[in-house]
Amino acid sequence: MEPLNDSLFGSQAMETPASLASALAPAAQPGHFDELRGAARAVPATRPTAPAPSMGTATGALLHDAALPPAAPPPDATAGTGASPPANQASPAPTSTDKPPLTPSWSRFFEHLGAGGFSDLPRRALSLERQIRDNGVTYNVYADADGPQRPWSLDLFPLIISPESWKQIEAGVLQRVRVLDRVMADVYGPQQLLAEGLLPPALVRGHPGYLRPLHGVKPPGDTWLHITAFDLARGPDGNWWVVSQRTQAPSGLGYLLENRLAISRQFPQAFEELQVQRLAATYSAMMEGLQRMCPAGQPPHIALLTPGPYNETYFEHAYLARYLGVTLVEGSDLTVRDQRLYLKTLQGLRPVHGLIKRLDDQYLDPLELRPDSTLGVPGLLQAIRAGNVLVANMPGSAFLESPALLGFLPALARRLIGEKLQLPALPTWWCGERAALESALPQLSEAAIKPTYPGYDARASFEAVLGSQMGRRELDEWAGRIVRQGDEHTLQSYLPLSQMPTWAQDAQGTGRIAPRAMLLRVFAVSDGAQSWRVLPGGLARLAGSNAQIASMQRGGSSADVWVQTHGEVDRTTLLQPHATPASLARHRAPVTSRAAENMFWLGRYTERAENAVRLARLTLDLLGGEDQSSRALLTWLHHEAQRNALIPPAVPVGTKSRRVFERALIAELGNVKSGGSVGYNLSSVRHAAAAVRERLSQDHWNQIVRAEAEFLRRTAEQVGETHEGSYAASAALRSLEAASAALAAMTGAQTDRMTRDDAWRLLSIGRHIERLAFLSSALAAGFRTGAVHEVSGFEAVVGLFDSTITFHARYQQRRDVATLVDLLVLDGDNPRSLAWVTQTLRGRIAKLAGSAPGKLTALSYELPDPASWTLENLCDPGPEGNYPALIALFATSETAAYHVSDAIGTRYFTLTSESLRSVGA
């Protein structure tokens, strides 16, 4: 445990913030580099047998990375098994029990906290937490359809990197990405490295991530790696060491943007004073480089491929796509025709020239890779081989992520680029080599045991473990496994990670500074053919207070990374202030068929939720009112509740047992497994919205999440308590009133805060299809049961249409079929009349299909034409007094609504030629 320090609120006002921080901040643990003071504490003479609880980790488990602590100052590497220490390696600075002063950078940071100084830090911590929550920044550890959204964990203090340290990092990372890119070019080309024995075949051809279908392929710009991440650790000597590298689909580029936005807002003065380098120029250069390298298209169309909304980092995918201005797509959005990649949109197939993938290679193409993958695109590798699409990164780089490869990179660097690596890796031994195995086994108790082929169950059935945490028996068992299956095991030496200051705050709001072990992820991105730059920042991952692993899944956190510069700060933005009106080229953003379908169902589920809430409120009000004896009314309510799945099928009608009917209705409200309950519909709204989150404002998304969570919380409390009589109904009514208000806010966001593009039109069409079917059915049942012919039933039908105020203002106390039909069927100004809904639907469908103004499409004519309806005809009771024309209109409207729904699905969501003919488009 780290030493405790007093509350910062009790500090003396005369002390400067820097001296106060120096006095109150505990030093890093012995043997760890102290980021706050720029030196390492000396290791005690007697070293404990096991590392202290908060010692550092090697590769944090953020986004599926293996997470392990490295070991004490690394030894010199042996031939073929690691890297030698850098030439400028320094010994740990001797320290006494007195804490050294803060580094100049950290002193300036604390001196420029702002007017509130330390006393304002608790407020800023709460503000940061609220900002992360309000922005919807999430990292779902094990995401599932019903799992809660877990807020992203971000510390208040940034990691500050001096220009001198960054110079070492930048030069070393650029050098390493050049080497890795050339390794891929050779492995998928002449394979000279294998022939010369510089790379063992078991780590390339024997790696499950090596893709033989891509051998002989040359990517656009001869560039294999466009986005590469390196996990770095700072040792006690102050130098940086490479722990691991990520090349398939590196994560973090979106999260670090959100971190920067949040932390720079909390410390604007310090951010400016420390001359922190900005990030936008690198992202802009990356996109420009990708566009130049795309094989065709002017301008090229680039998309970002995501596994979908259930992926734990989906927030980052949506955030990054929006920031970069690219289309966010899933595998089902894409198709390959004639060796070219296309995006399925409402307007048809649109070429895709570049693909930023956030999907592991093995899932990319079910035709040639994993046949059970539903996340990829059949035929994608064929399009890549034909040179018709740029993929960043090129598939096939998984073997570069093997920890075993780190030991061979020094020799590969000398062979490929004629240089010695400036940024060393932790000494690593691949146990598939006899010499390395014999060297590594004696160090087993001080090493991390890692799988050589991580992420592939067939070859790596274990998680990385620490020798220092095992007893003699366990160590012997592992030694036996390694001897028997040496090629599947890799050992990496231990390194005490540096510790940075973090802000810790208890439930009472008392804050303190606490050191945490830190692992730094930095990114190299291509800005052109065979050209890269390092993003001047990164993602710092912190171990939990009692953890040895810097893992977001195990209570870890993240921190912003501030890279200082001695020169001028690059203030480039993604805006183009010098663009002239003549150069403005407006283009309509593509609406993918998947996004269109989810928008369509977002509209339908929103309307269903509103209908369910309104019907449930009306039913509970009437069951507790004065008209409980109306048989026709109770029959109509029971019919509508059953038709809309608000009650189970076996529940008796209210005329037989009003109390059973009421209790069944209340019990089903929060049942998310029931297909028509309010809880189910609110949950379905969230699922549909999650799939198109990049299209929704943050306020809209927050409303959706809060509405579901609040309603389910309220209904759960109702179930947990004992309610009797009217109290149960009143509690349910309060829950329904709150849900109604939340749905009204959602409707407002959908109506007033969304661009009128085809996606919005489909959302609106979905809502009005649902409304037309619901209202037609409700009116038909009202006439069949005779409810509309009684005062109570008449008022109930008008209330269900949310038209009570309008009806009484217009018709006073008159209640007859003519007034009902006039307002609820024929009124073109009432948004809940059949005429208004039908006419709006016809217009939206025509606009969606791109018809000329005032012209309708064939699909629009599937809906009845309100212009042909007359009050006299519809109010004719007929010989039997059952209003045949009116009942026929209700049936026609309901049937047409479902027919149009099916036709829209086949026309716009499946894009089949048969469906095109079926709707006459």
Side-chain angles (χ1 to χ4, degrees):
M1 295 178 61
E2 76 276 346
L4 299 177
N5 51 348
D6 298 329
S7 169
L8 298 176
F9 301 116
S11 58
Q12 298 179 5
M14 296 300 293
E15 292 184 274
T16 66
S19 60
L20 187 61
S22 181
L24 293 178
Q29 292 183 350
H32 295 257
F33 186 86
D34 191 336
E35 296 286 345
L36 187 62
R37 297 177 172 85
R41 289 181 64 191
V43 180
T46 303
R47 184 179 177 183
T49 56
S54 62
M55 280 188 176
T57 68
T59 54
L62 172 65
L63 325 175
H64 300 307
D65 297 346
L68 288 174
D76 292 346
T78 57
T81 58
S84 299
N88 61 345
Q89 175 174 327
S91 301
T95 60
S96 65
T97 55
D98 296 331
K99 292 181 287 190
L102 306 187
T103 65
S105 296
W106 278 106
S107 294
R108 290 163 63 194
F109 173 82
F110 286 113
E111 291 294 345
H112 289 84
L113 289 179
F118 274 115
S119 62
D120 196 38
L121 290 181
R123 182 197 63 80
R124 296 189 195 190
L126 292 175
S127 173
L128 176 63
E129 182 180 349
R130 183 169 56 251
Q131 182 179 343
I132 293 295
R133 184 178 63 250
D134 291 346
N135 288 350
V137 188
T138 57
Y139 173 75
N140 303 326
V141 177
Y142 298 109
D144 63 78
D146 300 316
Q149 298 286 317
R150 176 185 172 184
W152 176 248
S153 184
L154 175 61
D155 193 76
L156 185 61
F157 291 155
L159 170 66
I160 302 175
I161 300 180
S162 68
E164 293 74 24
S165 286
W166 185 250
K167 184 177 180 180
Q168 178 199 6
I169 292 173
E170 185 175 35
V173 165
L174 285 175
Q175 187 185 48
R176 281 182 170 266
V177 74
R178 288 165 52 209
V179 174
L180 294 179
D181 187 83
R182 290 303 87 197
V183 168
M184 278 199 73
D186 179 81
V187 164
Y188 287 100
Q191 297 191 342
Q192 289 295 317
L193 299 177
L194 294 172
E196 296 173 14
L198 293 173
L199 267 179
L203 295 184
V204 181
R205 295 172 182 158
H207 195 291
Y210 175 72
L211 303 184
R212 288 173 175 79
L214 291 182
H215 186 264
V217 173
K218 186 174 182 180
D222 194 26
T223 302
W224 292 81
L225 301 176
H226 303 87
I227 305 172
T228 310
F230 295 87
D231 292 323
L232 309 179
R234 196 202 288 258
D237 55 11
N239 285 308
W240 294 92
W241 298 75
V242 176
V243 177
S244 62
Q245 53 206 20
R246 295 290 175 261
T247 55
Q248 282 194 88
S251 296
L253 279 176
Y255 285 119
L256 72 85
L257 275 173
E258 182 64 31
N259 286 1
R260 172 58 57 84
L261 182 65
I263 299 304
S264 61
R265 284 179 176 175
Q266 297 299 327
F267 304 107
Q269 296 179 22
F271 187 75
E272 288 294 332
E273 172 64 23
L274 291 176
Q275 290 187 282
V276 180
Q277 194 60 275
R278 309 303 198 261
L279 306 174
T282 303
Y283 286 91
S284 179
M286 178 185 75
M287 291 305 300
E288 291 173 1
L290 291 177
Q291 290 170 353
R292 287 195 300 270
M293 285 187 285
C294 280
Q298 291 298 328
H301 181 202
I302 298 177
L304 191 152
L305 177 62
T306 173
Y310 298 143
N311 183 266
E312 63 267 29
T313 59
Y314 181 73
F315 164 82
E316 179 180 60
H317 305 168
Y319 184 95
L320 198 57
R322 184 180 297 178
Y323 180 79
L324 298 177
V326 300
T327 309
L328 184 66
V329 299
E330 295 181 26
S332 59
D333 294 325
L334 302 169
T335 185
V336 174
R337 307 281 177 88
D338 298 326
Q339 299 184 351
R340 295 185 182 276
L341 185 65
Y342 292 92
L343 177 67
K344 294 184 284 186
T345 75
L346 293 181
Q347 289 74 37
L349 300 180
R350 177 174 175 178
V352 175
H353 310 103
L355 198 62
I356 303 172
K357 67 178 179 69
R358 292 300 302 269
L359 194 63
D360 284 349
D361 294 344
Q362 56 186 320
Y363 299 99
L364 284 175
D365 188 344
L367 290 183
E368 300 190 54
L369 302 175
R370 283 189 59 152
D372 61 340
S373 171
T374 60
L375 304 176
V377 187
L380 179 59
L381 294 191
Q382 189 178 15
I384 293 174
R385 284 194 296 267
N388 292 327
V389 63
L390 177 148
V391 179
N393 290 331
M394 271 288 286
S397 66
F399 75 95
L400 296 177
E401 296 184 348
S402 173
L405 194 70
L406 293 175
F408 297 90
L409 284 179
L412 292 174
R414 291 191 295 269
R415 167 65 174 77
L416 293 171
I417 63 175
E419 299 174 8
K420 180 181 178 181
L421 289 178
Q422 301 179 42
L423 191 63
L426 289 181
T428 307
W429 295 267
W430 176 53
C431 297
E433 286 185 326
R434 185 71 181 178
L437 174 65
E438 293 175 352
S439 300
L441 282 180
Q443 306 180 57
L444 189 61
S445 62
E446 293 293 333
I449 307 172
K450 296 185 175 185
T452 300
Y453 312 100
Y456 294 88
D457 294 339
R459 300 295 301 269
S461 57
F462 70 94
E463 293 186 359
V465 293
L466 300 177
S468 59
Q469 294 183 337
M470 293 185 286
R472 175 48 54 189
R473 179 176 179 179
E474 288 180 285
L475 286 172
D476 290 342
E477 291 176 354
W478 274 103
R481 294 179 201 171
I482 293 172
V483 169
R484 291 191 301 272
Q485 299 171 319
D487 64 324
E488 296 184 10
H489 297 80
T490 298
L491 269 62
Q492 192 173 71
S493 66
Y494 170 79
L495 174 72
L497 296 188
S498 66
Q499 295 187 331
M500 65 169 283
T502 64
W503 178 255
Q505 194 161 304
D506 58 27
Q508 289 71 39
T510 302
R512 57 191 175 87
I513 298 176
R516 291 285 182 271
M518 177 275 302
L519 192 70
L520 173 64
R521 172 167 287 192
V522 297
F523 295 85
V525 300
S526 64
D527 55 4
Q530 283 296 295
S531 176
W532 294 267
R533 65 169 66 187
V534 181
L535 185 76
L539 188 68
R541 288 175 289 170
L542 314 175
S545 57
N546 295 313
Q548 300 184 35
I549 298 175
S551 166
M552 300 301 293
Q553 294 183 352
R554 305 185 187 185
S557 182
S558 70
D560 190 19
V561 178
W562 289 8
V563 174
Q564 294 180 277
T565 178
H566 288 317
E568 185 177 350
V569 173
D570 187 342
R571 300 182 184 275
T572 301
T573 71
L574 295 187
L575 300 176
Q576 298 180 5
H578 302 298
T580 63
S583 66
L584 178 62
R586 172 181 288 185
H587 66 279
R588 183 167 53 180
V591 180
T592 67
S593 298
R594 176 194 54 83
E597 185 172 10
N598 280 288
M599 290 291 283
F600 177 74
W601 281 101
L602 175 60
R604 293 195 68 169
Y605 280 123
T606 304
E607 185 69 20
R608 281 187 191 179
E610 283 196 5
N611 294 337
V613 167
R614 187 178 295 106
L615 179 58
R617 290 180 68 185
L618 179 68
T619 303
L620 291 177
D621 276 333
L622 293 174
L623 289 177
E626 300 176 354
D627 299 308
Q628 301 175 17
S629 60
S630 173
R631 184 179 187 86
L633 174 61
L634 291 176
T635 302
W636 178 71
L637 290 174
H638 183 269
H639 174 273
E640 288 303 293
Q642 273 203 335
R643 180 189 177 280
N644 293 278
L646 292 182
I647 57 174
V651 173
V653 69
T655 54
K656 295 182 179 179
S657 178
R658 186 189 66 81
R659 183 58 59 85
V660 172
F661 180 27
E662 180 182 77
R663 287 181 174 176
L665 178 63
I666 294 172
E668 287 294 297
L669 289 177
N671 183 0
V672 296
K673 303 299 182 182
S674 175
S677 72
V678 177
Y680 176 88
N681 284 311
L682 288 174
S683 179
S684 298
V685 169
R686 178 177 61 82
H687 292 331
V692 288
R693 186 170 172 182
E694 75 280 6
R695 290 186 165 270
L696 306 180
S697 70
Q698 192 57 52
D699 286 343
H700 191 181
W701 171 252
N702 290 343
Q703 289 165 358
I704 291 171
V705 172
R706 283 197 298 264
E708 180 199 19
E710 182 66 14
F711 185 79
L712 295 181
R713 181 190 66 79
R714 284 173 174 267
T715 53
E717 289 176 355
Q718 289 172 209
V719 173
E721 299 175 3
T722 302
H723 296 296
E724 293 295 338
S726 61
Y727 182 66
S730 63
L733 282 169
R734 287 195 298 272
S735 299
L736 290 168
E737 289 168 4
S740 180
L743 285 164
M746 286 184 219
T747 301
Q750 293 173 3
T751 303
D752 296 332
R753 298 188 178 184
M754 297 185 71
T755 303
R756 266 45 174 177
D757 61 359
D758 285 340
W760 177 85
R761 291 187 188 95
L762 278 166
L763 182 149
S764 179
I765 288 170
R767 290 201 66 149
H768 288 95
I769 283 176
E770 202 66 39
R771 185 177 300 179
L772 180 61
F774 176 78
L775 296 181
S776 298
S777 172
L779 278 171
F783 276 87
R784 282 198 307 270
T785 60
V788 297
H789 301 304
E790 297 181 0
V791 173
S792 58
F794 192 99
E795 292 288 346
V797 171
V798 174
L800 185 62
F801 277 64
D802 200 17
S803 300
T804 301
I805 295 176
T806 303
F807 183 87
H808 288 296
R810 181 178 298 180
Y811 306 108
Q812 302 300 316
Q813 295 301 312
R814 181 180 173 182
R815 297 180 181 87
D816 53 40
V817 172
T819 57
L820 189 75
V821 171
D822 185 52
L823 180 63
L824 303 188
V825 178
L826 298 176
D827 191 345
D829 296 324
N830 180 5
R832 293 195 177 274
S833 76
L834 297 189
W836 188 93
V837 174
T838 304
Q839 194 61 41
T840 301
L841 257 178
R842 287 160 67 96
R844 297 272 158 81
I845 292 172
K847 184 75 172 178
L848 178 67
S851 299
K855 300 293 184 180
L856 296 180
T857 62
L859 183 56
S860 299
Y861 286 110
E862 298 287 343
L863 294 162
D865 183 7
S868 64
W869 306 347
T870 64
L871 185 62
E872 291 76 12
N873 182 47
L874 296 178
C875 291
D876 182 1
E880 299 181 5
N882 58 356
Y883 298 92
L886 192 59
I887 297 300
L889 175 61
F890 296 153
T892 300
S893 298
E894 185 177 7
T895 301
Y898 293 128
H899 174 75
V900 168
S901 175
D902 293 340
I904 285 176
T906 53
R907 169 63 178 88
Y908 294 107
F909 307 151
T910 62
L911 297 179
T912 60
S913 57
E914 291 78 5
S915 67
L916 295 179
R917 291 194 293 270
S918 70
V919 299

